[in-house]
Amino acid sequence: MTPKGKLIIIGGAINTGSFTETTFGLPQNMNFFERGILKKITTESIKGTASRFEIITTASLIPERVGEEYIKAFAQLDVQDVGVLDIITREQANSEENCARIRAADVIVFTGGDQLRLSSIFGGTAIHQILLDKYQDEAVVIAGTSAGAAASSKNMIYQGSSKDALLKGEVKITGGLGFIDGVIVDTHFVQRGRIGRLLYATASSPGILGIGLGEDTGLFISNGNIMEAIGSGMVILVDGRNMTDTNLTDVEMGQPVSISNMTVHVMCDGDIYDLHDHKLTIHHPKVVPID
């Protein structure tokens, strides 16, 4: 089935809304609100600025501060109906009160932090099932930044140093929240040099498209398969379908891995990738001549 919901996954850091995770404050991020991803979340929501927003801060170690920053951020875009759900136990993820809030929400935003907290606290709970059903059946917007983006797919990277990523066994993968299948997402991608993590993940499962989200960059995903790059940075795609060889199954744990013939694409703002056709369409903006 084609989902009726929309998914927005964001790479994290300075301009993603998780301002308290950086040394930058709200005023330095105003350009982000006016041209970028938070505004996209608002304009794509079914009731616009009148939509009901729920911010889920479960992944963060500083949930109160992060929640307050999101409330301030969306207030700059004239969104006033914003709640914060700091769910820290599976019992809370099954409570009827919290379930009712999720059912009533038009927009759900997962903040940054630790994606393993999201999968272990929400996986298989009542709220998780409500979110999956809403994404399929309703015009809901589900957004995630950093950890929230990494947890959005069925398969999720949760550990692995950038430096040693291409050593067998270094990158750890588990199940995510499963809003989208056939991809695996990594965040803070360019800034933290995580290409090795995505190459390893894709080599171990070549039928899955690796998505590396740069900071202040995201993908707007509609119809479950049309991915449009948004924001100021880059999205790196790693396609392993044409991989010709790897020694992944032959080497010992901790040994380097060889990979042959990976395909890499780079997306920027306005570019579109179709997951069904595996086709990238590059946006060519018109150059305005200088008089």
Side-chain angles (χ1 to χ4, degrees):
M1 287 180 58
T2 300
K4 295 181 180 179
K6 302 168 184 175
L7 190 63
I8 298 178
I9 53 176
I10 308 155
I14 296 173
N15 284 338
T16 64
S18 299
F19 314 114
T20 51
E21 296 179 4
T22 74
T23 58
F24 293 81
L26 189 62
Q28 286 83 3
N29 288 276
M30 288 302 296
N31 183 53
F32 171 72
F33 305 136
E34 303 198 357
R35 70 177 292 272
I37 300 165
L38 293 189
K39 188 171 183 179
K40 182 73 170 177
I41 293 172
T42 303
T43 56
E44 290 294 338
S45 59
I46 190 168
K47 300 173 187 172
T49 57
S51 295
R52 171 64 183 176
F53 283 59
E54 289 288 359
I55 312 300
I56 297 179
T57 58
T58 302
S60 178
L61 294 177
I62 46 173
E64 290 185 4
R65 291 178 60 194
V66 169
E68 290 171 0
E69 295 289 3
Y70 271 93
I71 291 172
K72 292 177 186 177
F74 282 113
Q76 296 292 326
L77 297 171
D78 296 323
V79 177
Q80 304 300 327
D81 193 4
V82 182
V84 176
L85 278 171
D86 180 24
I87 294 171
I88 59 174
T89 68
R90 290 180 62 81
E91 182 180 6
Q92 291 173 329
N94 282 307
S95 82
E96 181 51 40
E97 178 183 354
N98 290 333
C99 286
R101 287 178 59 172
I102 293 296
R103 289 191 192 98
D106 304 302
V107 178
I108 297 99
V109 179
F110 288 91
T111 71
D114 180 356
Q115 55 262 42
L116 198 57
R117 284 177 59 82
L118 292 176
S119 61
S120 62
I121 290 173
F122 285 103
T125 63
I127 281 183
H128 186 203
Q129 189 59 53
I130 291 167
L131 287 168
L132 290 171
D133 291 343
K134 282 176 74 76
Y135 182 61
Q136 283 295 323
D137 301 332
E138 301 179 25
V140 67
V141 174
I142 297 178
T145 180
S146 189
S152 64
S153 53
K154 186 174 181 179
N155 297 281
M156 178 185 82
I157 296 173
Y158 72 93
Q159 186 177 318
S161 74
S162 301
K163 176 173 67 73
D164 298 324
L166 284 172
L167 301 182
K168 183 175 179 178
E170 176 64 25
V171 176
K172 304 297 192 298
I173 299 171
T174 190
L177 297 179
F179 301 120
I180 186 169
D181 197 3
V183 304
I184 193 164
V185 180
D186 210 351
T187 59
H188 303 277
F189 190 74
V190 177
Q191 292 78 3
R192 298 186 186 178
R194 288 180 166 172
I195 184 67
R197 296 195 347 166
L198 211 54
L199 286 169
Y200 184 93
T202 308
S204 65
S205 187
I208 293 177
L209 181 73
I211 298 174
L213 300 171
E215 296 178 355
D216 190 29
T217 307
L219 285 174
F220 168 61
I221 304 171
S222 57
N223 298 321
N225 71 297
I226 302 300
M227 308 194 306
E228 178 186 355
I230 54 178
S232 65
M234 294 177 290
V235 178
I236 310 298
L237 304 181
V238 177
D239 185 351
R241 291 175 305 125
N242 295 317
M243 182 180 72
T244 54
D245 198 9
T246 179
N247 64 352
L248 182 59
T249 59
D250 304 316
V251 300
E252 299 292 331
M253 296 294 286
Q255 294 300 304
V257 173
S258 301
I259 305 167
S260 174
N261 208 48
M262 280 285 191
T263 302
V264 176
H265 304 287
V266 181
M267 298 178 68
C268 297
D269 190 47
D271 294 345
I272 293 174
Y273 188 88
D274 188 324
L275 279 169
H276 287 172
D277 298 338
H278 295 282
K279 180 182 178 182
L280 174 62
T281 302
I282 293 177
H283 171 60
H284 293 272
K286 292 182 180 180
V287 178
V288 179
I290 300 174
D291 294 331

